[in-house]
Amino acid sequence: MPWELDLLWYDGYIMMSRTQVTLEAEMQRRARRRATDLGVSLAEYFRRLVARDLARPESGANVDRIFDLGNSGGSDIARDKDAMIAEAADAPRRKHR
């Protein structure tokens, strides 16, 4: 679904640009119904959705969250990874025996 939201400023006024959006028929029907329920046009409904989404703060994953989570019990993944992968791959087969 192509989305573009261009706001152009001209002499202190916001100029909007036209954007075409392609939706599946069912999604379009539901969006029109929702816009009608809100008492706005379909275009205004989309503008509000985009504005709300863009107003949210970026939620990037913080890699610090995965460090110092607990004790590894002395395992050495670099040394033992092949054995660990083989054990994990073999586990479903052992369940069915």
Side-chain angles (χ1 to χ4, degrees), residues 7-48:
L7 295 178
L8 306 172
W9 289 85
Y10 179 77
D11 199 24
Y13 295 97
I14 295 177
M15 306 282 291
M16 291 192 199
S17 65
R18 179 177 281 250
T19 299
Q20 182 174 336
V21 178
T22 304
L23 300 172
E24 295 174 2
E26 177 64 13
M27 187 180 293
Q28 182 182 21
R29 185 186 63 74
R30 292 176 63 200
R32 282 189 187 282
R33 181 183 303 150
R34 182 71 175 129
T36 299
D37 292 347
L38 293 171
V40 297
S41 68
L42 183 61
E44 178 61 20
Y45 176 63
F46 285 135
R47 281 191 288 272
R48 289 179 184 185

Side-chain angles (χ1 to χ4, degrees), residues 68-79:
D68 296 327
L69 291 178
N71 185 344
S72 68
S75 70
D76 186 345
I77 292 175
R79 183 190 69 224

